[in-house]
Every structure is written in structure tokens, then in C-alpha cells.
Amino acid sequence: MDVGELLAALPEDEFPSTANAEWARLRLREILVDLAQRPTPASSLHRFWTVSELSGQIALAYLTIWIRQWFSDAGAGKRRMMETNLRVALKLFHRLSYLRGAITKLGQAAANLPGLLPQQVADTLDRLHFDAPPMHYPLIREVVRNEFQKGAQEVFAGFETEAFAAASLGQVHRARLKSGEPVAVKIQYPGIARTIDADFRNLSALLLPLRLGKDWESAKSHFEEIRRMLNQEVDYHQEAESTRLARELFRPEDGIVVPRVHAAYSGKRVLTTDFIEGLHLPAYLATNPTQASRNAFGTKILVAWNRMYYAFMPYADPNPGNYLFLSDGRLGLIDFGCVQHYGPEEREIATLADRMSFEDPSLVREVIRRVCGLSADDPAMPEYLQMMEASRDWMMEPLRHSGPFDFGDEGHFQRGMALLADNARKRRTRAHPMYVYWNRSIYSIQAMLYRLRAQIDVHEIIRRERPL
Amino acid sequence: MRITGEAKNETRQRILEAAITLFAADGWHNTTTRGIAVAAKIATGTLFNYFPTKEAIAATLVADALQRANEEFRAGGRDSGSLEGDLFTLVWSGLSNLREFRKFIAPACETIFSPLARPSTVSPGDAIRVDHLELVDETITFHGLPGTRSALAIQIYWTLYLGVFAFWAADESPGQEDTLALLHQSIKLFVESLTEV
């Protein structure tokens, strides 16, 4: 299945009246079930591309629905024109080098929302957090040489030529410093960082004919935020700084480990940190851990997220690949490429929304004004009011519960997914760009805790973590 | 007076060094054999005893640099454990040895390299190509792919190689990282094609 088939699946004339989130979900299931039933190709390279394509297709399917909804209320003639533009845009979009990587990342996010995908497909996609298109050692050697003017075997006392994990557009190798310390060396695929801006320019140009309606400005600011964050994610100097700042937030008694950055062994395309030995979520779950262990790790995941959020540097990509479950019960956080750093405006909004949630529900209109840019007399206000209150109610469910809350409760998780789908279907997408990643991180954290089936005393965490 | 082999070598070397200086300063098109002879402090006629054309001088510079890279590769370059990795090393070490000629190498190579991977040795660049393709063939065999490569496979390789070469010559990205990516993907494409051609 390629993008051509996906395009062929789009209706030629009328946008079906049933083309809502449910239609998208069912269509997606059909695609996934079909793909999941295909035999796995023998060579690892082909296997990688198949899995990668699969993940990209999921993201494309979402993207298609999303873009189509922008012009679903246009006249039939105009809609057909848009349809043609969309087909051309999607065909070209498929060729954009970096964004294919970016939509693959969106596919990963989908994999982390088990309510939306068949479990076996989610399990397959999970591998993408850890597998990457391999760079062979001769290429790695040249990337390291570009960075340090010396080869990897000279810079380090020992360097494993086989990667042990994937990273954002690169891979991670084990190595040993001359002092003997084991380290993880993250190496970025050459040249990829400089393609982001060009790809986004192309994408904007392609989407230009589609810009209809009042939501365009908001969508544009969201694209800009994604572009900014992707640029940040491939800047290893920035990641080193985010890692250092995050490390300062945790104390030994928290049982949360953030690796040290070894600045002398790091640069723009190479990042060297302490090596942390631990299991990723699927491997940890495969050990059949006790409920107490799940609860303890779940608590640490939530503590870590809150600690960073209240430090105004939210961990914006809390996917399972970024967490390690250590055998001594500690939690390792290992990737700080996708960390937002709130400025004064974002801090003010975050504080206001926090007060609305915990202290004064009547602030909801003010929050909508600041977050969604709606004036009090905007006709969309009642709808946004309903959305905001429903989202707040859902997020506060664990807090309304006395004692530990069971994040494995399917009802709670499904209500969240339904809200997400409902908001997408009704195009309630106007929001400050800071919420592009905030929303994703909230749902990702919930999905992790759901998979962990963790029971957590959220009251206690908020009591300790929320600044007075 | 008989000219010793040592003196011949010394003159040849002087011509090559003068050519490098002039190619770099004035560019490929503005450099003449006469100018090279003046810079090398020899008569133009003497220069023609060593190199019949400007292209032959450039081809010698390229061939010498690639020859050194080939020798290093034969001595221990096949160390990555994969055909892709080893072919990458072969090409990249050649380009690295040509780094000081990068500014003028593209127009020079337009003249000295034929896009066709034919087996003849007519033009000055033919010997370089034949030697390089032999090494590629040896490397493929080293990794256990039997038999002689088809003409189509060899043509695919040579087309990709020249494409990478031309891209590298004009690549302004830091550390020529764009060439690294292009070479990585080109070699991958070629190795995949070996099983299909």
C-alpha cells in the first residue's frame, strides 16, 4: 500500500456525510488489518521500510481527514478543486524527505494510543521507537570525524560499531570514555537537520490553496510550532542544555535518573551521555511485574512529568522509548530533544489554566480567551466552553477519586480518546501553539499509564509538585 | 645530455604542483598548458613530453590521489563487515584524498570522465575508472556475491559514482555532510540493485 492507494481511497466527488472521526477510525482499521495480515519480509531492511511505511500511512490517514475537514463546508465546485489540490499536495508531501520522518513520528504517537489501534499493530509500531534506518560504521566514523576531527575509535577508549537503539533521526552507540565510564553516544544522520526549514516551506506552499476559514491562522501557528520544535530536536547543543536543566530538577530520593551530558564528547550532531542500563516499557511488562512495581514506576512517570511542567519545561514527547525501567526500581529519562521551554507568555497562560483547574473554575472564559483567542461574544464560545469543561473534567477524574486512581480503567481512557476524537471532528482546533505538544504529552502520558495499569495517588503527587 | 629518472620525476612533480596552484587560483577553464609550463619553469614543448594535454595533467592528479586511497583500502579498508560499508569507505576515502583539488575537480572531471562505464582506455580518465571498477568488483566478490557483474550493474554503479562525485565537488554543507548522506543512500541503492539486475 502506498500513498497512491491512500489517495485512491479518497472519494472522488462528495465528501461522505459519514466522514467523521468514526469513519476515519474504521477506514484506518481496515488499512491496518490488511497490512498486519501481510507476511513479514525476510530482510531486515525491507522489514524496516515496511514498518516505517505503515506508520507513515497511519499518520497520512489522519492528516488526510484533518485537512479535508478544513473545507468540508465549502461548495461542491470549490471542494472538487480543493480535492485536486489535496491530491497533488499529498503526492508531493510524500516526497518531502524530512517530513516523512516527521509523520513517522506522528505514527509513533498513534501507536502509543492503544484505544485507537488494534493491539498487534500497536505492538509492531512500538518497535519504531527503538529501530531506525541503520547507519553503518564507516558513515558513523565520518560523522564523528566531522564533529571532533578524529575518528570514534580515537575519541573514545572503546566504541561499539553496532548501534543499540534508534534516536531522533539517528542512532545510539555504546562507548567507553578514556576514564572508563560507559556512555551512550547519540549520532545524527548527516544533513537531515538542514532540510527541515526547506521541507516546511514546501509544505506551506503546497497547503496554500487549501487555506480556508477562520482556523487557518491557528493551524499555521501550529505548523510553525512543530517546525520550531523539530529544529530544536535535531539541535544536540539544545538537547544537552535541556538535559542539564532537567537533571537539576531531580534529587536522589526521587528515584528518577537523568543522565549526565559529557560536553567534551558532544557537539552539534553527536551527544554523549551516561549509559543507563534498563528495560523499555514492553520488555518491562514482559517480566510480569507486580502491581506494586507498576504503581511505583507509574508514580515516578507522573512525578517526572509534573516536576518538569511546573518548572515550565514540559517533557513534550513522553513516548515509551524515552523511559527506562531500572532493575533497582528507579526510572530513567533518556531523551530531552523534545522539551518545551516556556517564555513569559506561555508561563502566564500555564499558570492561569492551572488556577482554573485547581482553584477557580470560573476562570474558564478567561482561559479560552487567552488560549483559543476567542472574545466573550464569539459565536464559537459556547462550544469551546463545553470542550474546555469536558477536558478539565476528564483530566481531573484521577483527582476527584479518593486514594490511588486506576489508570488501567478502560472507561477513563476511552472517555479521553472520545474527547480527542470529538474535538478533532468538530474542528475545535483553535489554541495557542504551546498546546500542540502539551495535548500530545497529556495523551501520551495517559496511554503509558494505561498500558502500565498503574494505580497512582495523584492527589499526593499534585500536593507535592504543584507550587503554592 | 641524458636526463636521469630522478630528474624526470622531479620535473613531472614540478608540473603537477604548478598545475594544482594554477587550477586552484585561476580555475580549470582559465588555466593553460603554457601557463603551467611557465609556472613550472620549463619550456612548453618540454611539458608536452610529460603530458599531452591539460586533461592528462588533471587525470594524473586524480589518478595519483585515488591510487593512494585504493592502496590504503586494499591494505585494510574492507573492515566494516558489510558490502555497503566497505564500498562507502572506498568511495569516501578517494574523495577525501581529492579534497585539496575540490575547487577545480568538477570541470576537469567533466572532461576526463566518460559517463559510460565502457571497458576501453582511450581518454585520460578511463584508466582511473577501470581501476576503480576492478576494486568495486573485488569488494563485491570479497563479500561473497559470486560471478561477474553484469554490464547494467556496472553502469548503475558508475552513474551513481559520478553523481556523488559531481555533487561532492560543489557541496558547501558543513563537512560535506550532504555528500555523506547521498553516498550512503547511493551505495545502498546499488547494493540492493545487485540482487535484482
Side-chain angles (χ1 to χ4, degrees), chain A residues 45 134 136 138-139 141-142 146 189-191 194 269, chain B residues 80 85 88-89 92 173 175 177-178 184-185 188 192:
Chain A
L45 184 71
H136 46 58
L139 178 56
R141 186 169 52 198
E142 295 309 323
N146 270 348
Y189 195 84
R194 289 179 300 105
R269 305 277 180 262
Chain B
S80 77
F88 179 95
T89 301
W92 187 254
S173 65
E177 61 176 2
D178 287 350
H184 180 232
Q185 289 163 28
K188 183 192 283 283
E192 281 171 5

Side-chain angles (χ1 to χ4, degrees), chain A residues 49 72 88 112 118-119 151 182 195 270 287 293 321 352 367 399 442 455:
Chain A
W49 283 115
S72 60
V88 174
N112 200 28
Q119 190 54 44
T195 69
V270 178
T287 64
S293 170
L352 183 69
V367 169
L399 272 157
I442 288 290
Q455 295 163 357

Side-chain angles (χ1 to χ4, degrees), chain A residues 335-366:
Chain A
D335 190 319
F336 293 83
C338 193
V339 171
Q340 286 176 292
H341 294 274
Y342 285 172
E345 184 186 340
E346 288 85 4
R347 288 175 184 219
E348 207 181 305
I349 291 174
T351 306
L352 183 69
D354 192 68
R355 282 181 56 214
M356 173 195 75
S357 297
F358 294 104
E359 296 166 16
D360 184 359
S362 72
L363 288 170
V364 64
R365 283 172 187 275
E366 176 62 5

Side-chain angles (χ1 to χ4, degrees), chain A residues 291-367:
Chain A
Q291 187 63 49
S293 170
R294 290 162 183 260
N295 297 348
F297 275 119
T299 301
K300 289 185 177 84
I301 288 171
L302 212 48
V303 165
W305 191 88
N306 275 281
R307 185 78 53 88
M308 291 184 68
Y309 178 70
Y310 283 120
F312 297 120
M313 48 178 293
Y315 200 38
D317 184 21
N319 75 66
N322 293 347
Y323 292 88
L324 284 174
F325 296 74
L326 278 59
S327 58
D328 61 7
R330 288 181 302 160
L331 177 77
L333 304 182
I334 53 169
D335 190 319
F336 293 83
C338 193
V339 171
Q340 286 176 292
H341 294 274
Y342 285 172
E345 184 186 340
E346 288 85 4
R347 288 175 184 219
E348 207 181 305
I349 291 174
T351 306
L352 183 69
D354 192 68
R355 282 181 56 214
M356 173 195 75
S357 297
F358 294 104
E359 296 166 16
D360 184 359
S362 72
L363 288 170
V364 64
R365 283 172 187 275
E366 176 62 5
V367 169

